[in-house]
Amino acid sequence: MATLRQQIATTALSVTKFRELMKRMRANRPSDDLALVRKAYDFSQKHHAGQTRASGEPYLVHPLQVAMVLAEMKMDAVAVAAGLLHDSVEDTSVTIVDIRKEFGEQVAHIVEGVTKISAIDFATREEQQAENLRKMMLAMVDDIRVVLIKLADRLHNMRTLEHLAPERQQKIARETLEIYAPIAHRLGMGKIRGELEDLGFRYVDPIAYQQIHEAVEARRKAGETFLARVEQVLRDKLKEAGITAKVESRIKRLHSIHKKLVRQRIAVDQVYDLYAMRVITQSVQDCYAVLGIIHNLWRPVPGRIKDFIAMPRPNFYQSLHTSVITEDGTPFELQIRTEEMHKMAEEGIAAHWKYKDGPVSAQDEQRLAWLRQVVEWQRDVSDPNEFLSTLKIDLYPEEVYTFTPKGKVVVLPRDSTPIDFAYSIHTEVGHSCVGAKVNGRMVPLRHKLHSGDIVEILTQPGHKPSRDWLGVVKSSRSRNKIKHWLNLHQRERAIEIGRKLIEKEARKYRVALKEIKDEELQKIASDYGLGRPEDLMAGIGYGKYSARQVLARLAPAGSEPAPEGEGEKAGTIASVVRRVFGGDSSANAIRVKGHGDLLVYRARCCNPIRGEAVVGYVTRGKGVAVHALNCPNVVNLMYEPERRIDVEWATDDGTPSAYPVKLTVFCDDRFGMLKQITAVISDTKTNIRNIEARTANGQANIDIILDIADLKHLENIVGGVRKIPGVHDVQRLQKI
Ligand code: MN
């Protein structure tokens, strides 16, 4: 029994907390029905009276803290009232009927949902767990406020977990890491997710937690000094460039350090992003301009630049990421985003939530759609384990799960493409896949799918798989199917080509292929280390051996090829190849017309882009290299004219594709220059892969790598940049 003194202290504490809550509500949601909140507080106080938590605190503190978390999320009065009442049905004599009578249908409905979820024991046998998760999902779909209250409840319970027995701690912490943190992540709520993860980690793996905690603490002082110094350097530069932005820095969260150490098997000092800085800008343009400034200040770590602005994460997270190394060799990570993106990254689905208008943004709609799909899909699954494993897969990012337009779920390995999706539907769908729409938008076949994507495969009867697909697909099923097809068909074609090439070449010697004895071919095949004459023909067809060389071995000594013009003109291979392959216009990765089955690739020396004049060159064994006609190497490569092959860009079928193109802008080093350049580029909706500037004597060279669709696109950008006052020249660098 609580003494009178304790009761007075309790009341004082609760009253203070309640005042804070009302203050927050008045600030965030002044037009809401705050009398409802007050009534809920009074009700909760009455029914939880005399109850204490494991910490010895009055129980009322818990619903008050939960309500406070919700108020901080800017939730409405209904949600906050439900937060105050969330444990009343479970832990007191109150029933849902009482709540409905006192607070109306909405509050009662939410409290009921939260109560149902609270009754779920996630640590039971797998089957039951699946069923429990299903129930939770259903509750979430019903009203997102249910899950937001549950997350707030879990957050406060985790914050006060120290008071529970170790066994309970373990169980609750594990559940937090396995279920609640991933759900917060999926809903884009970065702030809550981060705190849940750190708290969960502390109890689930106390030893690792302690080690990392100590390692970070040992570096904290030096780290903070370092961050303060680089922050100042960056602030000065931003000011100089006339960019208004907030700069803040932090040491990475313990749980994410831990995950990195485990995943990459490295030491704390090797974590690139132990120190992290965030720049919050006022516009998307400024994000890219800031990226340029940063790369001018410090050396970027190759491969660490990520543009989540152009390509948001599945939970709609947007930011530019880069890691740089300072002159003294310390690496740190930078995230650059706008105020709006920052809000979304921290609060996710709660960021724009207003109940009366329903979910406001299209993104919130999609998040809810994800939940609905999960529930819908589980109805088709008879085996609860299957549901559980797929749900876990979705909460954890090793695999993605995607949907057909009819809502059927297709589980694929991470980074899978529409081709993988097509093959998982049906082998024939895979073979005849020519394009795909993801969430209603056309995407390239190499596009990476994300969980929740709705994928529609476009097929064309008679279309054939391409060898390039092997570099694109992720699932072993599609790889096997493609390989199988290629082995079956491509070899046949290669043999056919090889035969034709030999025949053509033989004609120059005035010999018909028929006259060549099998034994002779067999002998040459053996010379090349091959088993049968077909292997030799296939080798010629694949471009591995030249027909001329093979023929030279066959031709009777002293015989010379007929003079040019009498037999065939130069460009023999070209004409044969084209005829045999029949000008198939299949969607090749680089989409060069006429050679669907030949391995075709863009030459590294000149990186031609769509729309440019190009020429093909049959290499030995590597397929056809496509060069820009003005590539300096073309002249040298053409000394064997028969290897030259006519190529052209396939007609645009609407499938977006982009090639990295490097430009150097020569300009005055003046105020706002970088900003104007990135403005021109972002006006054309072009993805910037990298931007770096070098300055000297009032002049600047800015290197930019862009994703360019075609020549026209490139000319547009170059033209636009050239018009900026102070820009002297823009050059395209052939080599990237
Ligand atoms: Mn609770």
Side-chain angles (χ1 to χ4, degrees):
M1 281 303 277
T3 64
L4 184 61
R5 197 182 201 184
Q6 277 171 331
Q7 280 179 27
I8 291 167
T10 294
T11 313
L13 178 68
S14 315
V15 167
T16 314
K17 292 226 174 289
F18 179 64
R19 280 207 190 112
E20 278 170 33
L21 177 68
M22 290 305 270
K23 200 173 143 197
R24 181 56 59 100
M25 287 301 289
R26 274 193 294 275
N28 288 349
R29 310 201 50 115
S31 53
D32 276 22
D33 177 13
L34 297 188
L36 186 74
V37 178
R38 180 174 295 278
K39 195 172 157 193
Y41 169 71
D42 291 338
F43 188 91
S44 189
Q45 188 185 32
K46 189 171 139 202
H47 290 281
H48 287 298
Q51 293 180 347
T52 52
R53 303 194 83 215
S55 60
E57 274 186 316
Y59 197 90
L60 188 62
V61 172
H62 170 67
L64 266 169
Q65 292 288 23
V66 170
M68 193 62 183
V69 173
L70 293 165
E72 276 164 2
M73 287 179 192
K74 300 191 177 68
M75 288 291 110
D76 65 351
V78 169
V80 173
L84 283 166
L85 300 167
H86 81 272
D87 277 333
S88 58
V89 173
E90 203 192 342
D91 295 340
T92 76
S93 56
V94 172
T95 67
I96 274 298
V97 179
D98 300 333
I99 302 265
R100 189 169 291 121
K101 213 164 64 196
E102 290 287 325
F103 298 95
E105 186 52 48
Q106 270 201 61
V107 174
H109 189 76
I110 296 169
V111 172
E112 193 176 15
V114 178
T115 309
K116 270 189 203 153
I117 295 178
S118 303
I120 298 174
D121 182 359
F122 290 105
T124 50
R125 295 199 345 261
E126 289 268 292
E127 273 171 53
Q128 276 170 21
Q129 196 176 344
E131 182 56 22
N132 288 336
L133 278 170
R134 190 184 72 84
K135 279 185 200 148
M136 179 155 83
M137 288 298 173
L138 278 168
M140 287 166 77
V141 177
D142 200 23
D143 191 324
I144 195 71
R145 285 175 292 188
V146 170
V147 81
L148 297 182
I149 291 173
K150 198 58 211 164
L151 287 172
D153 177 41
R154 180 49 59 114
L155 186 63
H156 185 242
N157 285 338
M158 287 304 292
R159 283 176 182 166
T160 52
L161 199 62
E162 58 188 306
H163 304 291
L164 297 190
E167 206 177 296
R168 294 271 301 149
Q169 287 178 345
Q170 275 290 318
K171 190 185 153 213
I172 293 172
R174 200 167 293 279
E175 194 180 271
T176 300
L177 286 184
E178 284 179 2
I179 311 277
Y180 289 97
I183 285 175
H185 179 49
R186 200 62 178 73
L187 297 176
M189 306 169 75
K191 206 169 153 192
I192 285 200
R193 172 211 175 191
E195 195 178 344
L196 286 176
E197 280 183 345
D198 272 6
L199 288 165
F201 173 40
R202 192 169 139 197
Y203 291 97
V204 166
D205 192 346
I207 297 171
Y209 180 88
Q210 196 53 34
Q211 278 174 348
I212 292 172
H213 178 73
E214 275 165 20
V216 166
E217 284 314 304
R219 287 162 184 79
R220 184 172 297 278
K221 217 172 144 28
E224 279 167 359
T225 314
F226 165 79
L227 284 171
R229 184 172 62 78
V230 285
E231 246 184 66
Q232 199 48 55
V233 173
L234 182 57
R235 275 207 190 93
D236 291 345
K237 273 285 170 197
L238 292 178
K239 204 169 168 190
E240 220 178 284
I243 293 173
T244 313
K246 269 188 244 164
V247 181
E248 53 191 45
S249 58
R250 71 198 163 97
I251 296 178
K252 197 179 169 70
R253 280 190 168 276
L254 298 187
H255 185 254
S256 39
I257 297 175
H258 174 65
K259 274 200 298 197
K260 202 154 253 194
L261 301 189
V262 170
R263 197 169 55 228
Q264 303 180 1
R265 298 170 190 282
I266 51 173
V268 172
D269 285 322
Q270 289 167 279
V271 177
Y272 267 129
D273 46 1
L274 185 62
Y275 304 130
M277 195 172 291
R278 196 172 279 153
V279 185
I280 297 167
T281 68
Q282 292 180 323
S283 71
V284 174
Q285 255 181 48
D286 280 357
C287 288
Y288 289 102
V290 169
L291 184 71
I293 289 169
I294 286 164
H295 286 173
N296 189 29
L297 271 173
W298 299 292
R299 190 159 50 87
V301 180
R304 299 267 318 174
I305 301 150
K306 285 168 202 146
D307 186 349
F308 295 120
I309 291 181
M311 295 285 245
R313 279 184 173 159
N315 64 358
F316 308 109
Y317 173 86
Q318 286 189 296
S319 254
L320 297 176
H321 287 193
T322 185
S323 292
V324 297
I325 298 180
T326 57
E327 30 333 312
D328 64 357
T330 314
F332 65 101
E333 190 197 54
L334 287 123
Q335 302 174 343
I336 309 156
R337 56 207 195 203
T338 64
E339 197 75 62
E340 176 61 22
M341 292 170 191
H342 182 57
K343 200 170 147 68
M344 288 302 289
E346 297 279 293
E347 299 168 27
I349 199 163
H352 296 284
W353 194 89
K354 284 185 213 139
Y355 188 67
K356 274 177 193 136
D357 318 325
V360 278
S361 70
Q363 297 177 346
D364 290 346
E365 257 310 329
Q366 280 192 42
R367 285 193 178 103
L368 288 172
W370 168 72
L371 294 172
R372 285 193 199 104
Q373 278 158 352
V374 170
V375 173
E376 215 151 88
W377 166 69
Q378 65 78 30
R379 284 192 190 123
D380 305 335
V381 177
S382 48
D383 179 5
N385 286 320
E386 199 186 325
F387 170 67
L388 184 66
S389 62
T390 311
L391 181 64
K392 274 197 171 160
I393 281 159
D394 188 49
L395 293 174
Y396 301 94
E398 291 84 24
E399 301 197 356
V400 291
Y401 86 118
T402 53
F403 300 90
T404 66
K406 283 185 178 162
K408 189 174 172 283
V409 172
V410 177
V411 185
L412 297 167
R414 190 183 176 171
D415 291 344
S416 282
T417 62
I419 303 174
D420 292 295
F421 187 95
Y423 274 104
S424 72
I425 300 285
H426 193 280
T427 307
E428 269 316 306
V429 176
H431 287 343
S432 56
C433 161
V434 289
K437 280 183 184 174
V438 169
N439 304 324
R441 270 209 314 250
M442 286 297 296
V443 297
L445 284 179
R446 56 177 63 240
H447 175 86
K448 284 177 184 162
L449 298 175
H450 300 299
S451 285
D453 280 350
I454 298 168
V455 186
E456 188 184 335
I457 297 297
L458 311 175
T459 59
Q460 197 181 74
H463 183 267
K464 297 163 191 83
S466 144
R467 181 168 287 275
D468 295 340
W469 286 6
L470 290 174
V472 174
V473 295
K474 275 285 173 270
S475 75
S476 46
R477 179 188 161 92
S478 9
R479 188 174 309 277
N480 291 339
K481 295 283 180 195
I482 296 167
K483 272 193 181 155
H484 183 73
W485 192 94
L486 288 174
N487 286 344
L488 214 70
H489 292 77
Q490 197 144 326
R491 198 180 137 77
E492 278 169 25
R493 291 188 157 217
I495 292 171
E496 195 183 339
I497 285 189
R499 232 176 254 289
K500 299 260 180 193
L501 286 174
I502 284 284
E503 212 165 306
K504 290 260 171 191
E505 195 66 27
R507 219 168 290 158
K508 292 185 193 166
Y509 293 89
R510 299 191 184 82
V511 183
L513 186 59
K514 275 180 278 183
E515 296 167 31
I516 301 169
K517 290 193 188 93
D518 269 1
E519 299 90 88
E520 283 183 82
L521 286 172
Q522 179 65 59
K523 189 182 163 294
I524 296 169
S526 311
D527 286 350
Y528 279 102
L530 302 167
R532 294 177 304 159
E534 287 97 279
D535 299 331
L536 180 66
M537 293 303 172
I540 296 167
Y542 282 131
K544 235 165 150 180
Y545 318 112
S546 102
R548 182 172 289 182
Q549 282 172 350
V550 172
L551 248 290
R553 287 166 179 266
L554 269 179
S559 76
E560 289 291 323
E564 287 290 321
E566 189 176 322
E568 293 292 319
K569 274 188 276 179
T572 332
I573 294 182
S575 63
V576 179
V577 168
R578 200 171 308 121
R579 205 165 62 229
V580 174
F581 285 141
D584 180 339
S585 68
S586 63
N588 198 292
I590 66 153
R591 311 207 299 171
V592 175
K593 213 186 219 169
H595 310 283
D597 293 60
L598 273 189
L599 184 60
V600 184
Y601 67 95
R602 289 159 63 236
R604 291 258 175 80
C605 47
C606 52
N607 286 298
I609 59 172
R610 167 183 288 281
E612 257 183 302
V614 283
V615 60
Y617 187 75
V618 182
T619 64
R620 284 179 205 274
K622 283 195 303 181
V624 176
V626 176
H627 293 266
L629 203 54
N630 61 5
C631 171
N633 284 333
V634 164
V635 181
N636 301 330
L637 291 172
M638 290 304 148
Y639 63 83
E640 278 183 286
E642 60 176 14
R643 289 187 170 269
R644 188 173 173 143
I645 194 163
D646 289 336
V647 291
E648 58 180 322
W649 298 97
T651 48
D652 198 345
D653 60 2
T655 309
S657 56
Y659 314 107
V661 167
K662 189 170 185 173
L663 297 177
T664 302
V665 181
F666 300 87
C667 56
D668 293 341
D669 180 18
R670 68 156 168 81
F671 178 81
M673 177 62 88
L674 205 48
K675 205 171 153 178
Q676 267 182 294
I677 293 173
T678 53
V680 166
I681 295 168
S682 61
D683 281 351
T684 60
K685 306 230 183 312
T686 305
N687 182 29
I688 302 180
R689 289 205 182 185
N690 194 13
I691 183 160
E692 273 174 64
R694 300 179 299 278
T695 55
N697 307 326
Q699 294 293 303
N701 292 359
I702 302 170
D703 290 337
I704 311 167
I705 301 180
L706 299 170
D707 282 341
I708 295 292
D710 57 20
L711 195 61
K712 218 174 127 211
H713 180 198
L714 181 67
E715 281 166 356
N716 254 340
I717 291 174
V718 171
V721 173
R722 275 185 207 274
K723 276 188 206 131
I724 298 170
V727 170
H728 309 304
D729 196 12
V730 182
Q731 282 182 12
R732 173 174 169 204
L733 273 83
Q734 300 263 291
K735 216 167 160 114
I736 292 174

